[in-house]
């Protein structure tokens, strides 16, 4: 203790200098708009670099498990596509129909590869940062998916980074449907586990079973129809008793999210503008 006190007394003027510097810089950046803007712009840029470096280290140690999951998922999808292709060719006797349908499915979308550089799953309103921004063609209201299913929607964009509003955010609402019967509702997260979310407003007359697959409905310009979301794990009545509340086991493992794809719709802007004009006419 004596040595510590002697050290503090010996260098007290340096500690006082540092303290005054911190106070002066705080006052400068807090009460001057230009300096504050410059500081936060630089801070956000440095934070993006730090997040990206940190995510690369974390991503390296998780690649084995991620690749195993993606390989399994790709095998399942390839088998499913092949079976559907064979069934379609047998039914239509048209070998070119399958190729045309595959092209047709994504003709209105462009795909951008991106990496997750920052992510959270424990807050009521989680956000994801990706390493692509406006300079790479990313815009707000674009859908984000991974190899297993839906991730979220682009919320804010910078020049080289973007913020994604994931499913694990209380403000997220994605139109989904039961793949087998096409009854639809809205996917919402109620907090808690990152493995589960809920499909709300499912009609009382809808048909579903535990284990049914939930996919995107295609009722918005953000996601095309049929992107996997999860499976029905449980159900209960809604608070008003007028609809069902379906508990969904999500396909996307947000705790190990690394590589994603951003979906840009060629016709999304027109659809969004038309729908916004209708909303503005309502009282």
């Amino acid at each position: 203790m004596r040595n510590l006190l002697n050290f503090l007394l010996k260098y007290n003027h340096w500690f006082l200098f540092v303290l005054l510097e911190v106070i002066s810089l705080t006052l400068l950046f807090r009460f001057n708009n230009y300096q504050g803007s410059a500081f936060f712009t630089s801070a956000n840029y440095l934070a993006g670099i730090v997040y990206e470096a940190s995510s690369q280290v974390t991503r390296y140690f998780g690649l084995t498990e991620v690749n195993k999951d993606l390989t399994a998922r790709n095998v399942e999808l390839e088998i499913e596509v092949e079976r559907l292709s064979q069934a379609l060719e047998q039914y239509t006797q048209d070998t070119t129909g399958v190729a045309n349908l595959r092209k047709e499915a994504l003709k209105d979308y462009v795909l951008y590869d991106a990496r997750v550089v920052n992510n959270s799953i424990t807050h009521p309103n989680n956000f994801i940062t990706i390493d692509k921004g406006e300079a790479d063609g990313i815009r707000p209201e674009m859908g984000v998916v991974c190899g297993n299913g839906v991730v979220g929607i682009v919320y804010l964009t910078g020049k080289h980074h973007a913020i994604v509003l994931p499913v694990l955010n209380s403000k997220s609402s994605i139109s989904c449907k039961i793949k087998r019967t096409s009854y639809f509702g809205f996917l919402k997260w109620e907090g808690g586990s990152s493995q589960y979310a809920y499909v709300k407003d499912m009609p009382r007359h809808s048909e579903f079973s535990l284990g049914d697959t939930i996919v995107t409905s295609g009722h918005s310009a953000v996601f095309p129809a049929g992107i996997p979301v999860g499976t029905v794990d449980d159900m209960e009545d809604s608070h008003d008793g007028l609809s069902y509340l379906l508990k969904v086991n999500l396909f996307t493992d947000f705790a190990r999210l690394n590589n994603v794809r951003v979906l840009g719709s060629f016709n999304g802007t027109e659809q969004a503008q038309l729908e916004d004009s209708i909303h503005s006419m309502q009282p």
Side-chain angles (χ1 to χ4, degrees):
M1 179 62 70
R2 184 187 299 273
N3 291 334
L4 178 60
L5 292 176
N6 290 335
F7 175 80
L8 294 176
L9 291 173
K10 182 176 180 180
Y11 296 101
N12 65 86
H13 54 284
W14 287 107
F15 291 118
L16 179 61
F17 171 76
V18 172
L19 177 62
L20 292 176
E21 283 291 319
V22 171
I23 294 174
S24 62
L25 290 174
T26 301
L27 295 175
L28 175 65
F29 294 129
R30 184 173 182 180
F31 297 104
N32 292 275
N33 293 332
Y34 176 77
Q35 287 83 354
S37 176
F39 171 76
F40 285 114
T41 299
S42 302
N44 288 336
Y45 175 73
L46 292 176
I49 294 177
V50 172
Y51 285 144
E52 186 166 357
S54 175
S55 69
Q56 288 177 351
V57 175
T58 305
R59 188 183 303 112
Y60 176 79
F61 290 104
L63 282 179
T64 301
E65 200 66 29
V66 170
N67 287 336
K68 185 187 300 183
D69 291 344
L70 289 177
T71 299
R73 179 63 179 168
N74 285 336
V75 170
E76 293 175 1
L77 291 175
E78 287 293 338
I79 294 174
E80 182 178 355
V81 169
E82 184 60 28
R83 288 177 177 174
L84 291 174
S85 300
Q86 292 175 359
L88 181 61
E89 290 176 7
Q90 183 178 0
Y91 179 76
T92 62
Q93 300 297 318
D94 182 6
T95 58
T96 64
V98 175
N100 293 334
L101 284 176
R102 287 176 176 174
K103 293 179 180 179
E104 187 76 14
L106 291 175
K107 73 171 186 177
D108 294 330
Y109 290 87
V110 58
L111 303 180
Y112 303 91
D113 291 325
R115 291 184 302 171
V116 174
V117 297
N118 192 29
N119 187 14
S120 64
I121 62 172
T122 59
H123 306 298
N125 292 307
N126 297 289
F127 290 96
I128 295 172
T129 304
I130 59 176
D131 66 346
K132 296 294 174 63
E134 294 176 357
D136 308 292
I138 308 301
R139 299 289 183 270
E141 300 299 320
M142 284 184 171
V144 182
V145 300
C146 68
N148 292 325
V150 169
V151 173
I153 301 173
V154 176
Y155 182 59
L156 294 173
T157 56
K159 188 174 182 180
H160 297 293
H161 292 83
I163 301 296
V164 177
L165 192 75
V167 171
L168 306 183
N169 188 299
S170 64
K171 297 180 180 179
S172 174
S173 180
I174 298 174
S175 180
C176 299
K177 67 180 180 181
I178 300 172
K179 183 178 181 180
R180 181 173 60 87
T181 61
S182 294
Y183 287 100
F184 69 91
F186 295 91
L187 186 72
K188 298 285 291 184
W189 188 58
E190 299 292 329
S193 174
S194 62
Q195 296 179 339
Y196 297 96
Y198 293 87
V199 174
K200 296 187 172 182
D201 298 336
M202 186 62 64
R204 298 287 296 185
H205 63 276
S206 60
E207 300 175 7
F208 61 87
S209 302
L210 297 184
D212 274 350
T213 299
I214 303 295
V215 298
T216 53
S217 67
H219 292 172
S220 72
V222 179
F223 294 105
I227 296 180
V229 174
T231 56
V232 178
D233 186 74
D234 198 0
M235 61 79 62
E236 60 185 75
D237 288 330
S238 62
H239 299 301
D240 56 13
L242 300 178
S243 60
Y244 288 124
L245 185 66
L246 305 185
K247 184 178 182 181
V248 178
N249 189 352
L250 300 171
F251 287 138
T252 300
D253 187 350
F254 287 88
R256 296 190 303 177
L257 197 60
N258 290 304
N259 298 304
V260 297
R261 277 192 164 187
V262 183
L263 303 175
S265 173
F266 295 124
N267 298 326
T269 302
E270 179 182 357
Q271 180 177 345
Q273 290 175 348
L274 288 172
E275 292 175 351
D276 288 342
S277 64
I278 293 296
H279 293 321
S280 63
M281 294 171 59
Q282 296 177 350

